[in-house]
Amino acid sequence: MIEQIAFLTRSLERRDVLSDGERLLLASLPGSVVEYQRGQAIIEQGSEPKASCLVLEGFTARAQYTEDGKRQLAALHIPGDFVDLHGMLLTTMDHSVQAISRCSVLFVPHPELRRVISASEHLGRLLWLSTLIDGAILRAWITGIGRRSTESNLAHLICEVFLRMRAVGLTRDTRFDFAVTQQDLADMQGLSVVHINKSLQSLKKAGLVEWRGSAVTIPDYERLARFAAFDPTYLNLQQRPR
Amino acid sequence: MIEQIAFLTRSLERRDVLSDGERLLLASLPGSVVEYQRGQAIIEQGSEPKASCLVLEGFTARAQYTEDGKRQLAALHIPGDFVDLHGMLLTTMDHSVQAISRCSVLFVPHPELRRVISASEHLGRLLWLSTLIDGAILRAWITGIGRRSTESNLAHLICEVFLRMRAVGLTRDTRFDFAVTQQDLADMQGLSVVHINKSLQSLKKAGLVEWRGSAVTIPDYERLARFAAFDPTYLNLQQRPR
DNA sequence: CGGCGCGTTGATTACTGTCAAACGGTGTGG
DNA sequence: CCACACCGTTTGACAGTAATCAACGCGCCG
């Protein structure tokens, strides 16, 4: 499992120091790996999962559908993210989890998670922390959707994903793989594809981002961050005792 | 403290059974009570609080401001809500907490919270749970802002607040006190006051809600819930072992 | 080669914001 | 006790943003 939970370990270590014992404890988490194609449902809304899933490769997202069938994405998960840790306590899923790109995830049975949390209060706090960071990201999305312009919100999202990817070692310089469709972006920001398309083009024309296929390049991060008024505080990317 | 944490106890008991020992442990939480006038900041963005605050009376909200001064509210808290439990692990506040109405809150020092969590793993889980429900509410708000019509989102919010208030015993029949301004509502939904005003009026005209001063009455909850396509699952108002 | 899915475009419509003014209740000072 | 100021609510006109619709381009895969 060591290989598979590498991103999780890295993600937690970006926020606090792990002892060898804690690393071993994490590595002791058993689980089964499952692969999904883009668009497949990983966890259904309304279900009561008995295992939590950790992203190993690719992207997943939480999706909610309104009565009239519109989709809203309310989180994007990258490798190392424990997608539905909350499923352990929330029992019934109020949303579904979908594969946004081809991806593989690790299902860890809840009793195993509880075992680890009982064994290490500190690790328990760090897992709690990861759900709190989830919440902080949700708040940032809300202000983005509610109060930012489409273009600056797009830029904001790109900054966020860039930093999160870099935190787990999935960037090369200013480039990273962001295999999402414009429909997905639209559903993250609560807008139409057409409008996202036009806004994205204007970001490209302004030289703020390059985006070819799934390869995103940020020519000048500082400039993009300034444009988006991006403040990374909410990502809690500082190693501190927690 | 027993009197003061009554709403917290009630809120947790709506989700799981508490033992006498757990109730006592909660009651042992010391803290200082502070009153705020509407509009005052309770916790400043960027600060690193050493205590978490619990709402005793009135409403508070998390507020984020964009670079150009627009306000977005990304949570509304009612009595019994542990507003910034996450402050304990998130160290730096990425948002401020404001008094939406006149309110009183209890500040509980983080070390005391840690003591309680160490003493009872179960209570620790329930506090974790309360932050997870916070997250679930954020997701509901995101889909509301992103994909619902203004009117149905307003109706959705009213349903949510009604159920949350009822869960801690703050409703009388179909009526509750909701002391927020239309500007606050606008900032919760990412819209302008003018637009909120018109949408609210149309809800009133349709007989879906009555709203005089701060007194909200829901003549027919089922009808309102149907109109809002409101599904209370995300509030986790079922007593289950967690 | 053809079909499919995503991206792109332009025209049109609908929604929401901004601005500016008036209304109404409350509390204060004369 | 009344006049006034203040603040939130309400209204209407107008401007700007985003959705919808429909068509086309383009690359990939069968």
Side-chain angles (χ1 to χ4, degrees):
Chain A
M1 285 295 138
I2 299 243
E3 183 53 38
Q4 289 165 354
I5 56 118
F7 288 123
L8 172 62
T9 310
R10 217 174 290 174
S11 175
L12 296 183
E13 281 180 322
R14 286 304 307 260
R15 274 85 186 199
D16 194 356
V17 176
L18 292 183
S19 70
D20 289 344
E22 286 164 345
R23 256 189 294 270
L24 279 177
L25 207 49
L26 278 179
S28 78
L29 281 173
S32 50
V33 177
V34 186
E35 299 234 336
Y36 292 91
Q37 298 304 314
R38 184 164 79 84
Q40 284 189 302
I42 298 173
I43 304 167
E44 299 283 354
Q45 181 167 349
S47 66
E48 304 194 355
K50 301 284 172 279
S52 285
C53 82
L54 170 66
V55 181
L56 302 176
E57 286 178 280
F59 297 94
T60 71
R62 305 188 205 287
Q64 275 184 333
Y65 290 85
T66 60
E67 208 71 343
D68 49 342
K70 292 181 199 147
R71 183 177 81 148
Q72 173 73 43
L73 299 182
L76 176 75
H77 290 287
I78 69 170
D81 286 347
F82 236 127
V83 173
D84 68 333
L85 208 45
H86 57 248
M88 188 171 64
L89 298 178
L90 253 37
T91 58
T92 307
M93 293 294 287
D94 56 44
H95 58 273
S96 69
V97 175
Q98 308 182 340
I100 288 299
S101 66
R102 210 167 61 71
C103 64
S104 71
V105 307
L106 178 73
F107 283 95
V108 181
H110 289 158
E112 294 292 337
L113 278 169
R114 296 210 178 201
R115 177 178 59 78
V116 165
I117 293 168
S118 295
S120 161
E121 200 178 323
H122 182 232
L123 222 41
R125 276 205 305 278
L126 292 186
L127 290 178
W128 184 357
L129 171 68
S130 77
T131 64
L132 293 177
I133 293 173
D134 252 44
I137 293 172
L138 288 177
R139 283 192 290 275
W141 281 30
I142 285 184
T143 41
I145 297 172
R147 292 302 186 209
R148 268 189 264 273
S149 74
T150 305
E151 292 175 22
S152 79
N153 197 25
L154 260 176
H156 199 277
L157 178 68
I158 292 167
C159 286
E160 177 191 305
V161 175
F162 177 65
L163 289 198
R164 288 170 64 191
M165 294 288 276
R166 197 173 63 180
V168 290
L170 286 171
T171 53
R172 281 171 312 155
D173 299 322
T174 61
R175 182 166 309 159
F176 63 102
D177 189 77
F178 196 19
V180 298
T181 64
Q182 296 189 358
Q183 182 63 63
D184 295 328
L185 289 175
D187 288 344
M188 290 184 222
Q189 313 227 349
L191 297 168
S192 68
V193 212
V194 173
H195 194 231
I196 283 288
N197 179 282
K198 286 167 183 168
S199 306
L200 200 47
Q201 283 182 56
S202 111
L203 282 190
K204 290 182 202 163
K205 256 172 227 139
L208 287 164
V209 288
E210 289 167 28
W211 197 322
R212 269 190 295 275
S214 67
V216 173
T217 308
I218 301 176
D220 182 347
Y221 173 77
E222 287 307 324
R223 198 158 78 88
L224 184 64
R226 214 175 319 119
F227 177 80
F230 183 77
D231 174 354
T233 306
Y234 71 104
L235 293 176
N236 280 262
L237 288 168
Q238 300 129 28
Q239 230 188 21
R240 299 189 180 204
R242 316 248 185 188
Chain B
M1 283 296 137
I2 299 241
E3 183 55 36
Q4 288 167 355
I5 56 119
F7 287 124
L8 172 61
T9 310
R10 217 173 291 173
S11 174
L12 297 182
E13 281 179 324
R14 285 305 306 259
R15 274 83 187 200
D16 194 357
V17 176
L18 293 183
S19 70
D20 289 344
E22 287 164 345
R23 257 188 295 268
L24 280 176
L25 208 48
L26 278 179
S28 77
L29 281 174
S32 50
V33 178
V34 186
E35 298 235 336
Y36 293 91
Q37 297 303 315
R38 185 165 78 83
Q40 284 189 302
I42 298 173
I43 304 168
E44 300 282 356
Q45 180 167 352
S47 66
E48 303 194 356
K50 302 284 172 277
S52 285
C53 82
L54 171 66
V55 181
L56 302 177
E57 285 178 279
F59 298 94
T60 70
R62 306 188 204 286
Q64 277 184 333
Y65 289 85
T66 60
E67 208 71 341
D68 50 342
K70 291 181 201 147
R71 183 176 81 148
Q72 173 72 45
L73 299 182
L76 176 74
H77 291 286
I78 70 170
D81 286 347
F82 236 127
V83 174
D84 66 333
L85 208 46
H86 57 249
M88 187 172 66
L89 298 177
L90 252 38
T91 60
T92 308
M93 293 293 287
D94 57 45
H95 58 273
S96 68
V97 175
Q98 308 182 339
I100 288 298
S101 66
R102 209 166 62 69
C103 64
S104 72
V105 306
L106 177 74
F107 283 95
V108 182
H110 290 158
E112 294 292 337
L113 278 168
R114 296 211 179 204
R115 177 179 60 77
V116 164
I117 293 167
S118 294
S120 163
E121 200 178 324
H122 182 232
L123 222 40
R125 275 205 306 278
L126 290 187
L127 290 177
W128 184 358
L129 171 68
S130 77
T131 65
L132 293 176
I133 292 172
D134 252 45
I137 293 173
L138 287 177
R139 283 192 290 275
W141 281 30
I142 286 185
T143 37
I145 297 171
R147 293 299 185 210
R148 267 190 266 273
S149 75
T150 305
E151 292 176 23
S152 79
N153 197 25
L154 260 176
H156 200 276
L157 178 69
I158 293 167
C159 286
E160 177 191 305
V161 176
F162 176 64
L163 289 199
R164 288 170 62 191
M165 295 287 276
R166 197 173 62 180
V168 290
L170 287 171
T171 53
R172 282 170 313 156
D173 298 323
T174 62
R175 180 166 309 160
F176 62 101
D177 188 78
F178 195 19
V180 299
T181 66
Q182 295 188 1
Q183 182 64 64
D184 295 328
L185 289 175
D187 289 344
M188 289 185 223
Q189 312 227 352
L191 297 168
S192 67
V193 212
V194 173
H195 194 232
I196 283 289
N197 179 282
K198 286 167 182 168
S199 306
L200 199 47
Q201 283 182 55
S202 111
L203 282 191
K204 290 182 203 165
K205 255 172 228 139
L208 287 163
V209 288
E210 289 167 29
W211 197 321
R212 270 189 295 274
S214 66
V216 174
T217 308
I218 300 176
D220 182 347
Y221 173 77
E222 286 308 325
R223 198 160 77 89
L224 184 63
R226 214 175 318 118
F227 177 81
F230 183 77
D231 174 354
T233 306
Y234 70 105
L235 293 177
N236 280 262
L237 288 168
Q238 300 127 29
Q239 229 187 21
R240 298 189 180 204
R242 316 246 186 189

